[in-house]
Amino acid sequence: MSIDGRVSGRLAGKVVLVTGAARGIGEHTARLAAARGARLSLVGLEPDRLAALAAELGPGHVWFAADVTDQDALATAVDGTLATLGGIDAVVANAGVANRGTIAVGDVEALVRTVEVNLIGVMRTAAATVPALVDRGGYLLVVSSAAAFAALPGMAAYCASKAGVEQFGNAVRLELAHRGVAVGTAHPSWVDTDLVREARADLPAFEAALARLPWPLRRTTTVAECAGAFVRAIERRSRRVYVPRAVAGVQAVRSVLVSPLADRLVGRTARATVPLIEEQSRALGRGFGAGTPQGRP
């Protein structure tokens, strides 16, 4: 804060567009970025929550209801942001979902929707915002996961989508470097969001399996800690973001995590837990958490 009461710092006056901004990591990232002087464009599926957040943040912040799998809706959100805020300096492609069930037991449409939102939604967000980012030499942060480094039963679509986001970010970083746009990939482990809490509540067998994971994969991080890491990444134009930082060690041994040895070790637990996850998923009768906004059918 400057002596005349105005917010100063790397984000002061910068325009940051966040998808999945209605709750969880996106909401908290928006709050923290605004506290550091950024002007926010809040994009998501829950207009009431988005409107309330924008009002709470105060003048200079806007919101748009948009499904990240709908290119026209994203274009409208970007055009509206440019018209009201004048440009875009950073984008956090954060919107994500996690389905219930396995490939054998579960709604295939929920698996497909998970990939559509988590991976295709990131691609569409990037495509919609890159021209504006090029204009300002901006920064794009795509949200992958620690799940990009390790395969977990019951999370096939989620792991696949987040691995795809990582490689998409790696390739787009090279494509945009000569245009002055920096690209980062974020890799949180478990974060205390509605999405994670609902998954644990819906599937007790899944919760038990998580408790047996090695550290740091079994650790749950606060939303505030994750948002802090994301905002620092925007300020520093970071190439990689790990939440918690120890996830960097997981990335370093990723080849071991998908090796035959890992298959044998994880498989011992999976033989018991997967049937339970499937039984609980079948009884649940839905493909997503009760609080997950579904967007387009």
Side-chain angles (χ1 to χ4, degrees):
M1 186 81 71
S2 64
I3 58 175
D4 61 1
R6 291 177 298 180
V7 177
S8 60
R10 295 181 183 177
L11 290 188
K14 300 294 186 181
V15 177
V16 180
L17 184 148
V18 181
T19 66
R23 62 176 70 227
I25 297 169
E27 177 187 354
H28 283 73
T29 299
R31 289 181 188 278
L32 183 55
R36 297 190 182 181
R39 295 178 293 158
L40 272 297
S41 175
L42 310 168
V43 179
L45 286 176
E46 300 173 273
D48 291 346
R49 291 183 64 95
L50 293 170
L53 178 58
E56 179 185 335
L57 296 180
H61 307 285
V62 295
W63 65 272
F64 302 92
D67 184 332
V68 295
T69 68
D70 183 338
Q71 200 69 43
D72 289 339
L74 284 170
T76 298
V78 171
D79 289 345
T81 302
L82 298 178
T84 54
L85 301 182
I88 299 174
D89 297 286
V91 172
V92 183
N94 163 77
V97 296
N99 67 289
R100 307 290 184 264
T102 65
I103 192 65
V105 176
D107 179 3
V108 66
E109 296 304 326
L111 271 77
V112 171
R113 178 66 179 169
T114 297
V115 175
E116 286 178 341
V117 173
N118 295 0
L119 175 55
I120 306 304
V122 165
M123 293 179 175
R124 291 189 178 279
T125 300
T129 57
V130 156
L133 290 174
V134 169
D135 284 345
R136 292 198 172 185
Y139 176 69
L140 171 65
L141 181 64
V142 298
V143 180
S144 178
S145 169
F149 309 144
L152 294 175
M155 293 181 60
Y158 188 85
C159 290
S161 67
K162 293 302 187 178
V165 169
E166 180 195 17
Q167 287 295 73
F168 176 75
N170 289 340
V172 168
R173 180 184 300 115
L174 301 174
E175 292 179 3
L176 294 177
H178 74 288
R179 297 180 181 271
V181 176
V183 178
T185 60
H187 301 274
S189 186
W190 310 105
V191 181
D192 188 25
T193 61
D194 292 344
L195 184 150
V196 171
R197 287 192 294 270
E198 286 183 353
R200 288 173 160 167
D202 284 346
L203 304 173
F206 182 66
E207 165 74 353
L210 296 186
R212 289 193 288 269
L213 291 174
W215 185 88
L217 292 179
R218 66 170 177 265
R219 177 187 167 189
T220 299
T221 304
T222 67
V223 182
E225 182 179 347
C226 186
F230 282 16
V231 170
R232 284 192 299 274
I234 298 170
E235 292 174 331
R236 300 170 183 175
R237 297 167 66 89
S238 300
R239 183 178 183 275
R240 290 267 184 165
V241 187
Y242 301 105
V243 185
R245 291 182 181 179
V247 170
V250 178
Q251 189 273 338
V253 297
R254 63 193 303 170
S255 61
V256 176
L257 298 176
V258 291
S259 68
L261 174 61
D263 284 354
R264 288 196 295 272
L265 294 176
V266 177
R268 293 173 185 172
T269 301
R271 281 190 290 272
T273 58
V274 168
L276 291 175
I277 290 173
E278 291 180 335
E279 178 184 343
Q280 292 163 8
S281 298
R282 189 184 293 111
L284 199 60
R286 49 182 162 78
F288 292 100
T292 299
Q294 297 300 299
R296 298 170 69 201

